[in-house]
Amino acid sequence: MKKRLLLSACALLAAGLFTAGTAGAAVQGPWPSLQGQLAKDRVPAGSPLEKLIARNQDFQVLRPEEATDKIPVPLWLRVLWRKQHPDMEYLAGDATGGYPLVLNEVREWMVSHPDLKPGAPAAGAAEKAKPHGGGTGTGTGPAAGAGGDLSLSGPLFYPRSESDIRVSYWDPSRIVSASNNIRSGGTLAIYYSGDGGATWKSTSLPHPTDEDFQSDPAVDWTSDGTVWATTIGIFGSGDALSLHLRAFHSKDGGATWTDDGKISADQTASDKQMMWVDHNDASPRKDTIYVIWHNGRTVYVTHHTPGGSWSDPLPISGSETAGTGIGADIKTDSAGNVYAFWPDTGNRKIFFSKSLNGGQSFSKPISIGSTFQSFQTLVPAQVDRGVLVYVSAGTYTSGKTISVYAVWNDLTGSAGCRTPYDDPQDNVGSACKTRIWFTRSTNGGTKWTKPRMINNQSSKNDQFNPWMVVDEASGALGVMYYDTVGEARTAVNVFFQGSTNGGASFGTPVRVSSAPSDQAVPDDGNQFGDYNALSGIAGTFFPSWTDRRNQHEEIWTAPVTFPKTAVACRTMNLFTDSVGTGVANVLVPQGATETQLSLWHRRHFVSGANGGSLRVAVDGGPAVTVPASAILSGATLSKGRDLSPVNTVVDLDAVCRAAVGGDCSGRSLRLFFSAGSEVSKASDVWFLDDAAVTSCAP
């Protein structure tokens, strides 16, 4: 099992192990030898890469603890980067060390191109989809079905990892996907279909003269049938190393592409971008394209209006982001409002910011959740590269309810699994596990529920690389992710979970991949990469993921069907920014299939014997206390204290079943909120706010 060792500079000096060297000279002590570094990557003798590595052995520019940290960037490459970017922040408290994560791909490109010259463009090829059969799910909840999975990239010699995929919301028969293609031609590989994913063709993006290769694909469609792609353009030959963002577009469904130029202005350290198009026909900003990324600590957004050009990069983070804002996402609602999300590697929080003017300005960021991990987790299935704490988001508007959602990967938070140093690394028997976390807002991002895990199995397995999408035709949520459940913990399958009630609950996980992928002996140093993707509309979803069932990293997809019937929801506000009576009457519409109570509350009961309660009378019958089993998320409605308001969601159908043996459809409910005290305690109080009952039906 890999061990971490953190030594301070003072301790190293005291031990005589650390010596300040001069530029170009290797520093003695805990640092690796030049020969060891060359041997690790099998660098050819006399190659330009060997000479480049030898020129960057002056490790005194690094912090001493970097010799043994878990940042997956070679030390010689860190030296090279620092010399090229001396003005960036390299903070000891930042889990990234201040280094762009795409430097992993820079290393991969250099190792596979030791002459440090761009590769030859990859030829396009027609590939017919060959389904391999799909998985099935069991249990309760909304059912999803997985069709045949297939390889988009095919059995190519060079590995491919990290992908994005997008179905055209105006013509679902047209789908585009993209992936890294670093070891071959270097430019992004493109996969496109014009028949709903039955058959696929492939090509690659153009190769601009000021780039050596590209990384980190993002794709989307505008309503005129144009496909858009953004990527990190990397110039890394010799001692020069810079990173910029570039856009491309295709007018023929992905077959040929035009370079739109740089979209990150004069930045030279742009990293980890994501892109989204405003797809909603009702939006005043329909077809506006948004791209979010980070440059060091700062998170930026640019936008492209229809028929216009790309805006200047707009910084949207500030002093609240103490580390690096890596792993961001951006989405829009039907009114054209923009929602931006990013994790912070410094203070371990997930931040959210909103724009009401099409990306011209953004609100002050707020925290919507905290994470146990910072930046990345080492798990047996991805112990070399690590698993990112990456946010994926979505929105949906139904009537006056503006729902906003976010998911990310994190540790479970259980004992021994709640700090950045608790990750399992390569220990398949570790009790520390990673899970997919979820939070939502039902009022446009003003208040958020307490984050919760959507599928917390009892077994020792890891979930990672989640991606979420909202079916804009129905409001259904879909989430895909890797899960090692049922495997040897070094192998993953792809799973899909859906929700038809706005994330109040999720259905049974459905296995999408028909065979596992084992990364015990990876072919690609990127392993599964940093992210997967998911897109869908009108009940059919397409995930894309890195798959190595053939002992080789390929890009795969599969159609996943999930209820396409539109879900109509009606919300009745009980107490909203006002003082209630403690009693509320609700008439549930006939035909409602899901009825839930959501309330924000804060408890402060000094005595352990004191508490609050919620009782429900159904159709004029006796009031029954809400059982703990009916609490879908949040906190209990009884004893305890809360430092801040908590959002609790109650399954009222479960209460009705307990009271009268059937769901709440067509029934009258009388809700009684009360607080009692066994002894006089002046400070005992139960604050209630924003209580509402929502009933949904197809």
Side-chain angles (χ1 to χ4, degrees), residues 61 170 246 340 529 541:
V61 302
W170 296 276
R246 199 174 212 104
F541 295 82

Side-chain angles (χ1 to χ4, degrees), residues 519-553:
Q519 282 284 12
V521 184
D523 181 43
D524 183 359
N526 286 329
Q527 296 190 287
F528 292 116
D530 297 326
Y531 58 92
N532 294 314
L534 179 67
S535 183
I537 189 72
T540 301
F541 295 82
F542 283 88
S544 67
W545 69 90
T546 303
D547 193 296
R548 76 174 318 267
R549 69 185 68 183
N550 298 322
Q551 309 304 308
H552 188 74
E553 283 78 9

Side-chain angles (χ1 to χ4, degrees), residues 125-131 150-152 173-175 191-202 542 557:
E127 296 160 1
K128 184 173 178 59
K130 296 180 179 179
L150 55 98
S151 175
L152 296 181
S173 67
R174 308 180 78 184
I175 313 173
Y191 319 101
Y192 57 101
S193 173
D195 54 13
T199 59
W200 294 79
K201 295 181 179 180
S202 66
F542 283 88
T557 190

Side-chain angles (χ1 to χ4, degrees), residues 328-544:
D329 196 18
I330 193 163
K331 292 294 190 294
T332 56
D333 66 17
S334 59
N337 300 318
V338 189
Y339 304 89
F341 303 79
W342 64 93
D344 177 12
T345 62
N347 55 31
R348 290 187 282 167
K349 292 183 178 180
I350 305 293
F351 284 108
F352 162 78
S353 182
K354 181 177 179 180
S355 173
L356 302 178
N357 55 15
Q360 301 290 334
S361 62
F362 280 78
S363 63
K364 181 180 179 181
I366 63 171
S367 171
I368 64 172
S370 297
T371 62
F372 302 104
Q373 185 54 272
S374 173
F375 179 41
Q376 61 180 1
T377 304
L378 301 184
V379 297
Q382 186 137 296
V383 73
D384 294 330
R385 185 178 183 87
V387 171
L388 279 186
V389 179
Y390 212 132
V391 181
S392 179
T395 71
Y396 186 73
T397 300
S398 177
K400 295 182 179 180
T401 301
I402 304 174
S403 297
V404 192
Y405 314 104
V407 296
W408 60 88
N409 172 82
D410 196 11
L411 305 177
T412 62
S414 60
C417 195
R418 58 180 58 143
T419 78
Y421 299 100
D422 293 336
D423 49 1
Q425 301 184 58
D426 57 3
N427 180 9
V428 296
S430 173
C432 186
K433 305 172 288 188
T434 59
R435 291 290 182 263
I436 309 306
W437 289 77
F438 171 83
T439 183
R440 67 172 183 166
S441 168
T442 57
N443 55 10
T446 301
K447 291 184 178 179
W448 292 80
T449 61
K450 181 180 180 181
R452 72 181 196 276
M453 295 172 276
I454 68 172
N455 178 24
N456 186 21
Q457 307 111 313
S458 60
S459 54
K460 294 179 179 178
N461 61 293
D462 299 300
Q463 304 164 357
F464 59 98
N465 283 19
W467 209 255
M468 177 174 65
V469 73
V470 177
D471 184 342
E472 295 188 16
S474 67
L477 286 177
V479 180
M480 67 85 68
Y481 54 88
Y482 288 131
D483 196 338
T484 66
V485 66
E487 304 294 343
R489 205 169 177 180
T490 59
V492 303
N493 279 291
V494 173
F495 284 81
F496 176 95
Q497 274 187 271
S499 172
T500 57
N501 56 15
S505 61
F506 283 83
T508 302
V510 171
R511 200 182 89 176
V512 177
S513 53
S514 60
S517 296
D518 198 316
Q519 282 284 12
V521 184
D523 181 43
D524 183 359
N526 286 329
Q527 296 190 287
F528 292 116
D530 297 326
Y531 58 92
N532 294 314
L534 179 67
S535 183
I537 189 72
T540 301
F541 295 82
F542 283 88
S544 67

Side-chain angles (χ1 to χ4, degrees), residues 92-115:
D94 186 347
T96 70
Y99 301 104
L101 188 59
V102 77
L103 291 182
N104 287 289
E105 281 73 23
V106 172
R107 170 192 168 274
E108 181 185 2
W109 179 82
M110 289 182 172
V111 169
S112 58
H113 298 77
D115 59 357

Side-chain angles (χ1 to χ4, degrees), residues 10 19 100 118 126 144 163 179 223 304 371 388 511 532 604 647 697:
C10 292
T19 304
S163 61
S179 76
S223 63
H304 179 283
T371 62
L388 279 186
R511 200 182 89 176
N532 294 314
H604 190 280
N647 179 227

Side-chain angles (χ1 to χ4, degrees), residues 245 263-265 267 290-295 298-303 310-318 330 338 340 342 353-363:
L245 300 186
I263 63 175
S264 53
Q267 294 184 13
Y290 300 93
V291 179
I292 188 170
W293 73 95
H294 79 96
N295 186 309
T298 307
V299 177
Y300 288 88
V301 169
T302 183
H303 65 275
W310 292 93
S311 68
D312 290 334
L314 174 69
I316 65 172
S317 64
I330 193 163
V338 189
W342 64 93
S353 182
K354 181 177 179 180
S355 173
L356 302 178
N357 55 15
Q360 301 290 334
S361 62
F362 280 78
S363 63

